[in-house]
Amino acid sequence: MHGAGEHDEKASWTTAARMLQDASPLTVPEGASAMTIEVEWEPGDPGTPPHRHSGPAFGYVVEGAVLELEGEPERVVEAGGTFWEPGGDVIHYQDGNALTDARTRFVVTMLCAPGRPMLELVDERELADRAHLRAPRPTD
């Protein structure tokens, strides 16, 4: 018999957590605030235009999505998968729905620098100036 506060060796709290991602190096803007949002895209929705976040973002995909960050090849992150982006200057090219027959839904926790918006769109001129930093896209 166990006393108050004691647990069996196989107590559920010891196995309940499962690491989904471990990101480093991580830079957190001084005085950052954190927010968690849920994003849901209808089938085939292209998502948010190219943008950046002022701080790092960590996401969990509930239903399939596509992700493309500056300097990384386009990739599909499926349900149960995770992603992270460092924030700051890095452009997030795409977060739309890779599926044409089902919704995409993901949850993201972002750290935002003080006085900065959660998301800043990138204009066409900057995209052209930084085109050399974008990974080659697959050809059809």
Side-chain angles (χ1 to χ4, degrees), residues 48-52 70 91-93 120-132 134:
T48 309
H51 62 277
R52 62 173 50 95
E70 190 170 65
I91 294 174
H92 185 168
Y93 283 99
E120 296 173 337
L121 296 180
V122 177
D123 64 33
E124 291 298 322
R125 182 176 177 187
E126 185 177 1
L127 288 174
D129 290 346
R130 295 173 66 113
H132 66 284
R134 190 173 188 180

Side-chain angles (χ1 to χ4, degrees), residues 26-49:
L26 182 62
T27 302
V28 177
E30 186 173 335
S33 62
M35 71 171 61
T36 300
I37 65 169
E38 179 181 39
V39 178
E40 187 169 325
W41 299 121
E42 292 301 318
D45 194 309
T48 309

Side-chain angles (χ1 to χ4, degrees), residues 31-113:
S33 62
M35 71 171 61
T36 300
I37 65 169
E38 179 181 39
V39 178
E40 187 169 325
W41 299 121
E42 292 301 318
D45 194 309
T48 309
H51 62 277
R52 62 173 50 95
H53 301 285
S54 61
F58 305 89
Y60 177 79
V61 179
V62 180
E63 299 176 62
V66 69
L67 180 72
E68 183 185 357
L69 294 177
E70 190 170 65
E72 295 182 8
E74 182 177 73
R75 61 189 167 110
V76 173
V77 181
E78 296 178 352
T82 62
F83 60 90
W84 86 284
E85 52 187 290
D89 193 44
V90 175
I91 294 174
H92 185 168
Y93 283 99
Q94 188 174 163
D95 67 358
N97 190 346
L99 306 175
T100 58
D101 60 349
R103 271 186 281 197
T104 285
R105 189 164 51 102
F106 54 96
V107 175
V108 183
T109 298
M110 293 173 280
L111 301 177
C112 303

